[in-house]
Amino acid sequence: LSVILILGLLCPEKTLARRDGYYKEDILGITSANHIYWLDDNGRDWVNIPGQITQCTMIELDRQLHVWSINAANDIFYKAGLRSDWVHIPGKLSYIKAQPKGNGRVWGINSAQQIFYRGNAASNWQHVPGALTYLDIQENGRVWGLNSAQQIFTIDGPNGVWQHIPGALTVLRVTPDGKVWGINANQDVFYMAGYGQPWQQVPGGKFVTLETNGFNDVFAINANQDVYYRNGFRINWTHLPGKFVKLRVLGNSAVYAINSAQQVFRRHGLLGTWAQIPGALNDLCGNYGTTYHYSAAIAAADQKAAADKRAAEEAARQAAAAAAAKKAAEEAARKKAQEEAAAAAAKRAAAKRAAAEAARKKAQEEAARQAAAAAAKKAADEAATKKAAEEAAKKAAEEAAKKAAEEAARKKAAEE
């Protein structure tokens, strides 16, 4: 892991974010007033770091971030982690560069173009013969540099001998694994696969600056501020949207860029899109990637914070469970009340239907009884009428018989 530094944003102080004792330190920034800031984990909030510097370089050692810096007077300062104090280091430098994964090794150039090397913060500066205006370092300690005549040199560590590399460059970039990229005064791009390999011209465009990382990601800017990307030597350039003047590539393929209005943007590799980050920056510098620094005291605080967070989460969980149980009980009571009300309503409806049926049946029975009574009365009336008729007929027959008898007697009497 390594780190990218971004220079140039003024913002209010905040507390450094942390994870289990490790501080994520992706981006540092320096304002136009040389104040220092760090970009928080959320990628939008800037955190103030005390001090004033004009440039810096970083190195990861024992999972801790070591920062080397230079102020406007070319004084040298060093700190081991963002929470430590700056320590003044004797000497004057105009350029400083830490070796990636170099166990604390750092190189520098002073205003007279003299070269210096230091094994770590506790050692002393060692003068290295030669004169350079710029240098870059591989992970294995090989240094590449440019002098004021744009000549290219390389040396295998501070005790080696400078070797002249054919060619002339205005821009030189070296990846941690030793791939070399450069731009000459004609804005042509060249690539070297490693020490001892020949230069190969990279076709497809002219550029004024470029940046790369250890994973073949190369971003370049031309004189019109257009941005292009390629993955390694054999893939062609791809034009990306936007206009920028400076950029920096991280080890995870994220790239930060600044436009002419000093606005800051970020994207992830070729397939990402530019997203603006609040703030205005002047410059970009640094290494590749992300690093962390560890503090035992902070770790203890983190453990307590984590325990407090777990306790709060457990309390919230219990409160949520209690609220859910209460809600479930209330829902059950409501449902039970609804069921009881429905049962009572059904019972009342059934009782009403039963009463109506009984009333209907009673009415039917009463109607049948009345009909039967009427029929019985009718039958009785008819029987009485028949009987009266029979008696009248019998009486009439008797009277007729009597009359006939009297008529016969009268007739017999008359005959006699």
Side-chain angles (χ1 to χ4, degrees):
L1 298 176
S2 52
V3 176
I4 179 172
L5 308 180
I6 293 185
L7 308 180
L9 177 65
L10 179 61
C11 54
E13 249 185 74
K14 291 181 177 288
T15 303
L16 292 177
R18 60 181 180 255
R19 299 186 191 130
D20 301 329
Y22 290 89
Y23 282 77
K24 187 177 181 184
E25 298 161 344
D26 294 313
I27 305 168
L28 293 181
I30 301 175
T31 71
S32 57
N34 299 334
H35 296 297
I36 315 161
Y37 289 87
W38 165 78
L39 189 61
D40 201 351
D41 284 352
N42 62 20
R44 299 190 67 82
D45 294 327
W46 294 93
V47 182
N48 179 251
I49 299 171
Q52 289 180 286
I53 61 176
T54 58
Q55 65 166 282
C56 55
T57 183
M58 298 185 183
I59 185 171
E60 183 192 358
L61 183 61
D62 298 327
R63 292 188 65 85
Q64 181 165 302
L65 182 68
H66 295 240
V67 184
W68 290 86
S69 66
I70 300 170
N71 67 10
N74 289 344
D75 296 316
I76 308 162
F77 293 89
Y78 164 83
K79 64 160 55 193
L82 297 183
R83 289 186 174 274
S84 65
D85 294 329
W86 287 110
V87 176
H88 178 247
I89 303 296
K92 295 274 189 178
L93 293 176
S94 58
Y95 177 82
I96 193 167
K97 181 75 173 183
Q99 178 183 331
K101 299 183 180 179
N103 295 322
R105 301 182 186 94
V106 63
W107 290 67
I109 302 171
N110 67 12
S111 59
Q113 301 181 13
Q114 294 174 311
I115 308 163
F116 293 88
Y117 163 84
R118 193 181 188 103
N120 54 54
S123 63
N124 296 316
W125 290 111
Q126 171 186 335
H127 178 250
V128 179
L132 296 176
T133 58
Y134 174 85
L135 60 81
D136 207 348
I137 314 170
Q138 298 178 208
E139 285 183 355
N140 65 5
R142 175 169 290 278
V143 177
W144 296 76
L146 299 176
N147 66 11
S148 59
Q150 302 177 9
Q151 293 175 310
I152 310 159
F153 294 87
T154 184
I155 190 172
D156 190 11
N159 299 318
V161 177
W162 288 108
Q163 300 176 40
H164 177 249
I165 303 296
L169 297 175
T170 59
V171 175
L172 174 71
R173 298 291 183 266
V174 182
T175 66
D177 61 355
K179 298 179 180 68
V180 186
W181 294 80
I183 301 175
N184 66 12
N186 196 40
Q187 301 181 6
D188 299 315
V189 180
F190 291 86
Y191 168 80
M192 181 185 289
Y195 172 69
Q197 300 298 312
W199 286 113
Q200 301 177 71
Q201 186 169 354
V202 180
K206 291 181 177 292
F207 299 97
V208 295
T209 189
L210 63 79
E211 296 293 339
T212 183
N213 59 15
F215 300 94
N216 291 325
D217 294 305
V218 183
F219 289 80
I221 300 174
N222 66 16
N224 293 323
Q225 303 178 9
D226 299 313
V227 181
Y228 288 79
Y229 167 86
R230 71 186 299 134
N231 184 262
F233 172 72
R234 300 188 182 280
I235 307 300
N236 293 330
W237 291 107
T238 299
H239 178 241
L240 301 179
K243 297 276 190 178
F244 298 100
V245 295
K246 297 177 182 177
L247 49 81
R248 177 63 58 189
V249 187
L250 278 68
N252 62 356
S253 298
V255 58
Y256 287 81
I258 297 175
N259 64 16
S260 58
Q262 300 186 351
Q263 294 172 313
V264 187
F265 293 83
R266 179 191 182 278
R267 71 180 292 138
H268 192 275
L270 174 64
L271 301 180
T273 56
W274 292 112
Q276 187 172 359
I277 300 173
L281 303 185
N282 297 325
D283 201 359
L284 299 167
C285 69
N287 296 326
Y288 318 96
T290 302
T291 194
Y292 296 82
H293 111 249
Y294 180 78
S295 163
I298 298 305
D302 289 339
Q303 291 172 2
K304 183 178 184 301
D308 292 343
K309 182 179 180 181
R310 288 193 298 271
E313 290 174 347
E314 178 62 20
R317 187 191 65 78
Q318 292 180 358
K326 181 180 179 182
K327 184 177 180 180
E330 292 173 347
E331 179 63 19
R334 184 189 64 79
K335 187 175 180 180
K336 183 178 180 181
Q338 287 179 338
E339 291 173 347
E340 290 177 348
K347 186 176 181 180
R348 289 194 299 271
K352 184 176 180 180
R353 287 194 301 271
E357 180 63 20
R360 184 186 65 78
K361 187 175 181 181
K362 183 177 181 182
Q364 287 178 339
E365 291 174 347
E366 179 62 24
R369 186 190 64 77
Q370 290 179 359
K377 181 180 179 184
K378 182 178 180 181
D381 290 344
E382 289 178 349
T385 300
K386 184 177 181 182
K387 184 177 181 180
E390 289 175 347
E391 289 179 351
K394 181 180 179 182
K395 186 175 181 181
E398 289 176 350
E399 288 178 353
K402 181 179 179 183
K403 186 176 179 181
E406 290 176 349
E407 182 62 28
R410 183 187 61 76
K411 187 176 179 181
K412 184 178 179 182
E415 291 175 352
E416 292 177 353

